[in-house]
Amino acid sequence: MQSLVGIFRTEEDLAKSLVELEKLKQRAAKVKVEGSRLFNPGWHLSRDLKSMLTVSEAVARQCASRKESRGAHSRIDYPSMDDKWGQQNSIISRDGSGMKLRQAPVNPMPAELRELGGGRQIIRGQ
């Protein structure tokens, strides 16, 4: 994640990251830890591994789909913001043993919150 899905991202690196994550998932499926879970950090780390790979894949997939730079999401190949991304949420869900990414519109800001922001759409970065 640090080398391929780091601070500055490219389409090529994100595609490589998904290939590498798939290889790691296959290796992780074979991980075994001997001994008790008591006082055994290896046991706990082996249990965390699946979650870490799941989160890493979700992040990489979403970053690959987002063709813009905004906030902490920086794409070298797409340096500008795209207003469409400020109007939608990315949602990742399980699809069998894989993941499915979809976009859903951002709900309008409630009037009481809009008043606090001086009428600005805070989520758009204005």
Side-chain angles (χ1 to χ4, degrees), residues 111-122:
E112 62 272 14
L113 293 178
R114 199 170 37 252
E115 289 174 20
L116 292 173
R120 298 180 334 180
Q121 288 286 330
I122 296 170

Side-chain angles (χ1 to χ4, degrees), residues 1-9 13-14 17-18 20-21 24 52-61 63:
M1 290 300 286
Q2 186 172 349
S3 63
L4 297 173
V5 191
I7 296 171
F8 300 106
R9 304 163 181 152
D13 285 348
L14 292 167
S17 75
L18 291 167
E20 293 302 315
L21 283 166
L24 287 171
M52 289 189 288
L53 290 169
T54 299
V55 170
S56 295
E57 182 182 353
V59 169
R61 287 191 182 284
C63 291

Side-chain angles (χ1 to χ4, degrees), residues 15-77:
K16 282 183 196 174
S17 75
L18 291 167
V19 170
E20 293 302 315
L21 283 166
E22 189 57 39
K23 290 177 189 176
L24 287 171
K25 283 176 18 184
Q26 291 174 9
R27 287 179 60 196
K30 300 174 188 173
V31 168
K32 293 188 170 101
V33 178
E34 294 184 12
S36 166
R37 66 181 173 179
L38 296 174
F39 310 109
N40 187 347
W43 188 90
H44 295 284
L45 288 172
S46 72
R47 302 289 296 169
D48 292 341
L49 188 56
K50 183 178 178 185
S51 295
M52 289 189 288
L53 290 169
T54 299
V55 170
S56 295
E57 182 182 353
V59 169
R61 287 191 182 284
Q62 197 285 327
C63 291
S65 76
R66 194 171 187 145
K67 312 281 194 231
E68 71 151 2
S69 290
R70 177 185 301 264
H73 173 69
S74 300
R75 290 281 302 260
I76 293 171
D77 44 357

